[in-house]
Amino acid sequence: MSTEVFIGVDLGGMSAKASCLSGEGRLAAVVRAKTDIEDSPEKTINTLARLVREAAERGNVPQSSVAAVGVGAPGIIDCETGTVEEWTNFGWKRIPLAERLGSLLQKPCFVLNDANAAALGEARYGAGKRFQDSVLLTLGTGVGGGIVFSGRLYQGYKGAGGEIGHTVIKLGGRKCSCGRRGCLETYVSTRALARDALSEAKKHKDSKLYLLWRERGTADGFLLFDALKRGDACAERVFSRYIAALGEGILNLANLLRPQAVILGGGVSAEGETLLAPLRRYVNARLTAGDYAPLNILAATLGNDAGIVGAAEYARQRFS
Amino acid sequence: MSTEVFIGVDLGGMSAKASCLSGEGRLAAVVRAKTDIEDSPEKTINTLARLVREAAERGNVPQSSVAAVGVGAPGIIDCETGTVEEWTNFGWKRIPLAERLGSLLQKPCFVLNDANAAALGEARYGAGKRFQDSVLLTLGTGVGGGIVFSGRLYQGYKGAGGEIGHTVIKLGGRKCSCGRRGCLETYVSTRALARDALSEAKKHKDSKLYLLWRERGTADGFLLFDALKRGDACAERVFSRYIAALGEGILNLANLLRPQAVILGGGVSAEGETLLAPLRRYVNARLTAGDYAPLNILAATLGNDAGIVGAAEYARQRFS
């Protein structure tokens, strides 16, 4: 490893993970610790400090070679000061995470939103590494992501941008947790997909989708894709509406920002070409100036490491 | 004027305008020339060259003090090479405008999309000058605009971004000229506003809106605002739907990019607080993290000069 190493931390509600990122973009072994909703911010920050030291040890990096630490954290983050403005789940409010962790470690610390960290990781070392500008769209229980321009994150004023899931694609549409109606998230999250599959299945009790659901007892994103692979017409109807909603969301990003790549993350993206091929067809048929300025639609490649890699890369960019 | 002067040109389908921008951001007298759809690209480019020389003379700037020229042009522009990829109206296709104008003038020339030029002008010298990041949303016959980050334009890959009017806010909604359905433009352009006003008026023949329309014989944006100022309930219904659609479009921009300011341009923006006050109420009531990272909604201040100022500023940024 080069002499200057950056450590990335991915802080979540169940666990925190950390690892060293070398100058060549390789990640060392990932170390983990539990996080607990009952713990005070102080205790959680102590856990993070211990985890960072452990990550350095496991990566055979002397503490003196650790240049800086980046932390991807949930909630609303003031990325300039590294303060967690609000992490509702853990009851955090205005916690100066960068400052406190930095003083424990005696290293510069930088904090950013976890979805933005994943976007930066994928952009620099994952699916987006051939491109200057890319947008990550994470299709999970919710829909998040981040925007990378010229290899750097665009986080908006005080880091409040990048809320891709909370852009309305249907005025007066489905009620969203954010209070608005018709947000992209309410149509393309895995939760929405599972719910739409179940609702369509119940209308067609002779469909493979319905039979699969009865067999398994749960409706999730996999149910739809499994029925789809068995050539079920009912599943195809649900899927084609899903592709249209997701496609329109991607076209919106393309017309507004025209990145060279939109990278899809989250569980659904593991479906690969089953998802990507029809999505590319939908988008390319409707993309203005698409021949001239084409858009690549790709699946994320870093999986669960994207956040750690991106947090470390963020520390590198902020440090230099 | 300082010794280094940049000339901005605003190229349109009816006329071209040009002026000198001083280092302090002051515009000299604006000179004009007609443009004609019948003219060859060569002839039009000769007209621009003459106009640039005239702008220097009128600004009392010796040719030797003109550092570079910026041109805001309609259509699809490759801003890296300064090529007009396609200007449908004039039948231009792959015209290397920057190169040809530059060789006529023996000066570096830079070309960008006209809406982006206006956005840069407003951002640096107009309504956005107090802010690092701003988005211009121009409400005209169409809806355009541009995105400015850290004082510089974000134009997307090959300049194909910034098409704010062509982001879908209503899946399966109104048919748009771009081929998609439900684009922001189909709900918030002055054309859409006039059509909605007329359609509502015809349903309520006792309304002031209807009477005004019968009196004038034409439906345009002014009709609605005039009826509104007379306290007409019918006009208020149309207006409140307009505010909701425009508000949702602005909330989408805010959640995705969280600029510090959204600047409204175009004819409708001249209505000032009549438009801005209800729009701010709508947006602020729904803006995530709005207390923490507020959004300013402002009217453009440079009027028709925004494109010239922005084109000159673009030349300054690219030149240095």
Side-chain angles (χ1 to χ4, degrees):
Chain A
M1 277 197 166
S2 81
T3 49
E4 208 167 61
V5 170
F6 295 85
I7 293 184
V9 180
D10 185 0
L11 171 60
M14 305 288 284
S15 70
K17 298 175 291 180
S19 185
C20 303
L21 186 71
S22 72
E24 299 76 40
R26 266 174 323 187
L27 212 57
V30 174
V31 296
R32 280 178 180 75
K34 280 190 179 170
T35 53
D36 195 321
I37 199 165
E38 300 293 329
D39 289 345
S40 67
E42 287 64 36
K43 192 166 173 197
T44 302
I45 296 170
N46 283 331
T47 303
L48 296 184
R50 213 168 47 240
L51 198 64
V52 167
R53 291 196 194 95
E54 204 183 315
E57 275 168 36
R58 285 292 303 279
N60 295 315
V61 173
Q63 295 296 333
S64 60
S65 295
V66 176
V69 175
V71 182
I76 300 173
I77 313 295
D78 183 336
C79 55
E80 272 158 48
T81 61
T83 304
V84 179
E85 289 292 326
E86 193 163 350
W87 179 15
T88 320
N89 209 5
F90 265 46
W92 287 25
K93 199 132 186 132
R94 298 201 62 76
I95 303 295
L97 176 54
E99 186 191 310
R100 293 204 194 152
L101 185 59
S103 105
L104 287 174
L105 292 169
Q106 294 293 301
K107 302 277 180 199
C109 285
F110 304 95
V111 180
L112 77 169
N113 174 273
D114 50 5
N116 281 335
L120 185 60
E122 285 292 343
R124 296 303 298 262
Y125 301 106
K129 68 182 170 191
R130 291 184 295 123
F131 307 108
Q132 269 211 311
D133 309 317
S134 64
V135 176
L136 176 69
L137 188 59
T138 305
L139 307 166
T141 314
V143 171
I147 301 165
V148 175
F149 294 145
S150 301
R152 300 182 87 93
L153 268 173
Y154 178 77
Q155 304 181 80
Y157 181 46
K158 289 194 177 176
E163 292 289 344
I164 301 172
H166 298 291
T167 53
V168 165
I169 59 163
K170 187 156 187 172
L171 281 181
R174 296 175 176 173
K175 187 115 190 80
C176 183
S177 61
C178 75
R180 291 168 78 200
R181 280 189 172 275
C183 284
L184 183 62
E185 177 167 302
T186 67
Y187 294 92
V188 306
S189 68
T190 50
R191 187 182 286 165
L193 182 61
R195 197 188 43 196
D196 290 347
L198 185 57
S199 140
E200 189 74 15
K202 286 178 174 170
K203 286 187 217 155
H204 302 276
K205 298 196 172 164
D206 56 344
S207 66
K208 288 174 187 144
L209 192 60
Y210 183 78
L211 296 174
L212 267 180
W213 171 62
R214 291 298 302 252
E215 211 176 290
R216 297 188 186 168
T218 54
D220 55 19
F222 298 115
L223 182 75
L224 192 269
F225 283 99
D226 287 347
L228 203 62
K229 280 163 202 158
R230 296 176 196 193
D232 182 50
C234 177
E236 269 164 25
R237 278 194 301 277
V238 177
F239 186 62
S240 104
R241 288 196 293 264
Y242 183 77
I243 290 294
L246 183 54
E248 293 296 332
I250 290 174
L251 284 162
N252 281 357
L253 287 172
N255 283 354
L256 194 59
L257 303 173
R258 191 60 53 99
Q260 288 162 278
V262 167
I263 302 166
L264 300 180
V268 172
S269 71
E271 298 294 334
E273 290 303 309
T274 309
L275 175 71
L276 295 175
L279 194 56
R280 287 189 193 114
R281 275 197 301 273
Y282 188 94
V283 169
N284 287 333
R286 291 161 179 83
L287 186 63
T288 311
D291 292 340
Y292 158 70
L295 178 75
N296 294 281
I297 302 178
L298 306 161
T301 60
L302 298 182
N304 292 331
D305 289 342
I308 307 174
V309 172
E313 172 64 18
Y314 186 70
R316 181 201 309 282
Q317 292 186 357
R318 290 288 300 267
F319 182 74
S320 61
Chain B
M1 279 202 164
S2 81
T3 50
E4 207 168 62
V5 171
F6 295 85
I7 293 184
V9 180
D10 186 358
L11 172 59
M14 305 288 285
S15 69
K17 297 176 289 180
S19 184
C20 302
L21 186 72
S22 73
E24 300 77 39
R26 267 174 322 183
L27 211 57
V30 174
V31 296
R32 281 178 180 76
K34 280 190 180 170
T35 52
D36 195 322
I37 198 167
E38 300 294 329
D39 289 347
S40 66
E42 286 64 36
K43 192 166 174 196
T44 302
I45 296 170
N46 282 332
T47 303
L48 296 184
R50 213 168 46 239
L51 198 65
V52 167
R53 291 197 195 96
E54 204 183 315
E57 274 168 36
R58 285 292 304 278
N60 295 317
V61 173
Q63 294 296 333
S64 60
S65 295
V66 176
V69 176
V71 183
I76 301 173
I77 313 294
D78 183 336
C79 55
E80 271 157 49
T81 61
T83 304
V84 178
E85 289 292 326
E86 194 164 349
W87 180 14
T88 319
N89 209 5
F90 265 46
W92 288 25
K93 198 129 189 135
R94 298 201 62 75
I95 302 295
L97 176 55
E99 187 192 309
R100 293 203 194 152
L101 184 60
S103 106
L104 286 175
L105 292 169
Q106 294 292 302
K107 302 278 180 198
C109 285
F110 304 96
V111 180
L112 78 168
N113 174 273
D114 50 5
N116 281 334
L120 185 59
E122 284 292 343
R124 296 302 299 260
Y125 301 105
K129 68 183 171 190
R130 290 184 294 124
F131 308 107
Q132 269 211 308
D133 309 317
S134 63
V135 176
L136 176 70
L137 188 59
T138 306
L139 307 166
T141 315
V143 171
I147 301 165
V148 176
F149 294 146
S150 300
R152 301 182 85 92
L153 268 173
Y154 178 76
Q155 303 181 81
Y157 181 45
K158 289 195 178 176
E163 291 289 343
I164 301 172
H166 298 290
T167 54
V168 164
I169 59 163
K170 187 156 188 173
L171 281 181
R174 296 175 176 175
K175 188 116 190 77
C176 182
S177 61
C178 75
R180 291 168 77 200
R181 281 189 171 275
C183 284
L184 183 62
E185 178 167 300
T186 67
Y187 294 91
V188 307
S189 68
T190 49
R191 187 183 286 166
L193 182 62
R195 197 189 43 198
D196 291 347
L198 185 57
S199 138
E200 189 74 17
K202 284 178 174 171
K203 287 187 216 154
H204 302 276
K205 298 196 173 164
D206 55 345
S207 66
K208 288 175 188 144
L209 191 59
Y210 183 79
L211 296 173
L212 267 181
W213 172 63
R214 291 300 300 253
E215 211 175 290
R216 296 187 186 171
T218 55
D220 56 20
F222 298 115
L223 182 76
L224 191 269
F225 283 99
D226 287 346
L228 202 63
K229 279 163 203 158
R230 296 175 196 193
D232 182 51
C234 178
E236 268 164 26
R237 278 194 302 277
V238 177
F239 185 61
S240 104
R241 287 196 295 263
Y242 183 77
I243 290 294
L246 184 54
E248 293 295 333
I250 290 173
L251 284 162
N252 281 357
L253 287 172
N255 283 354
L256 193 59
L257 302 173
R258 192 60 53 99
Q260 289 163 277
V262 168
I263 303 165
L264 301 180
V268 171
S269 72
E271 298 292 335
E273 289 304 307
T274 309
L275 175 71
L276 295 174
L279 193 56
R280 287 189 192 113
R281 276 197 301 275
Y282 188 95
V283 169
N284 287 333
R286 292 161 179 85
L287 186 63
T288 311
D291 292 341
Y292 157 70
L295 178 75
N296 294 280
I297 301 177
L298 306 161
T301 59
L302 299 181
N304 292 331
D305 288 343
I308 307 175
V309 171
E313 173 64 18
Y314 186 69
R316 181 200 310 280
Q317 292 186 357
R318 289 288 301 267
F319 182 73
S320 62

